[in-house]
């Protein structure tokens, strides 16, 4: 338990088979300060007491954007489950390494205000990953010096498997258990399906500009990408690249202004015709990896709002 004690929160869980969300009231304890800072988010330790003992240690990810809309967290969970479904299909090829994406869910704190003051405080939560964390690629052509074959071949395969509609990149995690992926969509001019990190064909071309087909690509029979190659100097930054915030589009391709405050519950119940997902229905494989305390508080990072107000 972290300072501030336990508190009641709402846990929103996505079922990829039915494409529906369910919500449960749970007890959690969240660390007062972030222990890690990424390009887009602060990361806090969180204990989710609804999980089995030994699997309760999680991380809570809070957007740095004070105007972040609650629905964005729901869209990111759905995007990660989309990648998880693709990973299951990829594993069917029985390649040397099996891959997976961690489960994730949304936790909402009814007693804490969102940073921008509109609605309750909301974070994306997933199990802590134990072990050395490696960023294999970003969403704009970065490839880690290690240049492992499996994550690179997976990205290439998602492009081919989808018939040139999407490409999964920003592959990172511990061993081959990944988190925080990004999907680029090829949905037409100025039409992006997977949030602000979806750079569309620009991002896809940047991936293929640095991708060199490896033995796994060849064993999968993946054809070399023949589209226009992005021209840029050697890409050394691991940071993700974002499109301008306005208008915001979610994975369903719907646009919102940054001032919109539609409830996140509107995310559920979307008809399949308007949904960015096309291939759900595979058996879901639950994955709650071993967890551990992997960080310490960095006092320069912001504290949770209303920490002791519960
Ligand atoms: Zn390849």
């Amino acid at each position: 338990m972290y300072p501030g004690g336990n508190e009641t929160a709402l846990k929103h869980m996505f079922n990829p088979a039915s494409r529906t969300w369910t919500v449960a009231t749970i007890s959690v304890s969240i660390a007062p300060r972030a222990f890690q800072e990424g390009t887009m988010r602060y990361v806090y330790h969180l204990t989710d007491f609804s999980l089995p003992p030994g699997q309760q240690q999680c991380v809570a990810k809070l957007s740095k954007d004070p105007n972040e809309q609650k629905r964005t967290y729901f869209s990111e969970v759905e995007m990660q489950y989309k990648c998880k479904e693709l990973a299951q299909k990829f594993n069917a090829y029985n390649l040397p390494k099996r891959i997976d994406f961690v489960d994730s869910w949304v936790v909402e704190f009814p007693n804490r205000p969102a940073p921008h003051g509109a609605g309750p405080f909301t974070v994306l939560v997933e199990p802590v990953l134990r072990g050395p964390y490696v960023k294999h690629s970003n969403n704009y052509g970065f490839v880690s010096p290690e240049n492992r074959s499996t994550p690179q071949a997976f990205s290439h395969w998602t492009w081919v498997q989808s018939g040139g509609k999407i490409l999964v990149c920003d592959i990172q995690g511990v061993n081959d258990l990944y988190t925080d992926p990004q999907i680029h969509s090829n949905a037409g001019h100025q039409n992006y399906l997977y949030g602000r990190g979806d750079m569309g064909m620009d991002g896809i071309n940047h991936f293929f500009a640095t991708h060199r087909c490896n033995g796994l690509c060849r064993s999968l029979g993946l054809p070399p990408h023949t589209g226009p190659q992005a021209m840029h100097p050697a890409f050394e930054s691991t940071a993700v690249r974002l499109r301008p915030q306005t208008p915001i589009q979610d994975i369903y391709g719907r646009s919102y202004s940054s001032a919109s405050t539609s409830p996140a519950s509107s995310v559920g119940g979307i008809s399949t015709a308007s949904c960015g997902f096309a291939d759900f229905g595979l058996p879901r494989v639950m994955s709650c990896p071993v967890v551990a305390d992997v960080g310490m508080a960095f006092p320069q990072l912001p504290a949770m709002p209303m920490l002791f107000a519960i």
Side-chain angles (χ1 to χ4, degrees):
M1 185 188 306
Y2 299 103
N6 295 4
E7 62 186 288
T8 299
L10 297 177
K11 180 176 184 176
H12 298 272
M13 295 160 285
F14 183 63
N15 183 331
S18 61
R19 305 182 206 182
T20 56
W21 285 86
T22 56
V23 61
T25 300
I26 63 169
S27 178
V28 301
S29 179
I30 188 165
R33 292 188 178 278
F35 72 94
Q36 196 174 75
E37 177 180 0
T39 308
M40 300 164 61
R41 293 182 284 205
Y42 299 111
V43 188
Y44 298 80
H45 287 298
L46 179 145
T47 304
D48 181 340
F49 294 105
S50 70
L51 295 173
Q55 300 179 7
Q56 296 178 344
Q57 294 305 309
C58 300
V59 293
K61 300 177 179 179
L62 169 69
S63 174
K64 287 182 172 180
D65 182 355
N67 296 314
E68 191 67 87
Q69 298 298 303
K70 191 168 77 170
R71 71 176 64 83
T72 302
Y73 295 99
F74 289 76
S75 296
E76 289 182 359
V77 167
E78 294 187 14
M79 180 167 66
Q80 192 147 314
Y81 276 106
K82 167 76 171 177
C83 295
K84 192 177 181 73
E85 300 278 350
L86 289 168
Q88 291 169 2
K89 290 184 176 180
F90 187 72
N91 289 336
Y93 291 93
N94 289 318
L95 299 175
K97 301 282 189 181
R98 295 182 69 81
I99 66 171
D100 199 0
F101 288 82
V102 294
D103 287 314
S104 57
W105 53 95
V106 176
V107 170
E108 186 180 338
F109 296 84
N111 298 319
R112 300 179 189 247
H116 53 80
F121 189 84
T122 306
V123 290
L124 185 152
V125 178
E126 60 188 35
V128 168
L129 298 180
R130 182 196 292 272
Y133 191 93
V134 177
K135 190 172 178 75
H136 300 286
S137 61
N138 73 349
N139 71 337
Y140 216 58
F142 165 79
V143 181
S144 73
E146 189 181 15
N147 193 15
R148 280 192 51 218
S149 296
T150 298
Q152 280 288 307
F154 174 66
S155 292
H156 188 171
W157 174 83
T158 59
W159 171 250
V160 175
Q161 189 273 344
S162 68
K165 292 188 173 66
I166 62 168
L167 183 141
V168 178
C169 57
D170 211 3
I171 306 296
Q172 54 195 302
V174 174
N175 296 320
D176 288 298
L177 181 57
Y178 305 139
T179 184
D180 280 346
Q182 178 62 53
I183 301 179
H184 292 316
S185 60
N186 177 22
H189 182 63
Q190 298 296 306
N191 190 12
Y192 304 96
L193 304 181
Y194 294 96
R196 292 179 60 206
D198 179 353
M199 303 301 294
M201 280 309 302
D202 185 32
I204 291 166
N205 286 331
H206 272 77
F207 170 81
F208 282 112
T210 56
H211 174 70
R212 300 292 175 265
C213 279
N214 55 52
L216 294 181
C217 296
R218 288 185 283 275
S219 68
L220 289 166
L222 302 179
H225 183 61
T226 55
Q229 301 288 295
M231 299 301 294
H232 57 79
F235 205 96
E236 296 180 351
S237 170
T238 63
V240 296
R241 189 176 176 93
L242 300 178
R243 289 182 293 104
Q245 185 175 27
T246 305
I248 295 172
Q249 279 194 320
D250 64 15
I251 62 168
Y252 307 111
R254 298 174 301 186
S255 297
Y256 302 92
S257 71
S258 59
S260 172
T261 56
S262 297
S265 57
S266 65
V267 171
I270 301 300
S271 71
T272 54
S274 64
C275 183
F277 299 167
D279 56 356
F280 276 116
L282 294 176
R284 183 178 178 203
V285 177
M286 294 299 295
S287 171
C288 283
V290 178
V291 295
D293 183 358
V294 298
M296 56 184 293
F298 288 83
Q300 72 273 22
L301 298 179
M304 297 287 288
M306 293 181 62
L307 176 63
F308 301 109
I310 307 304

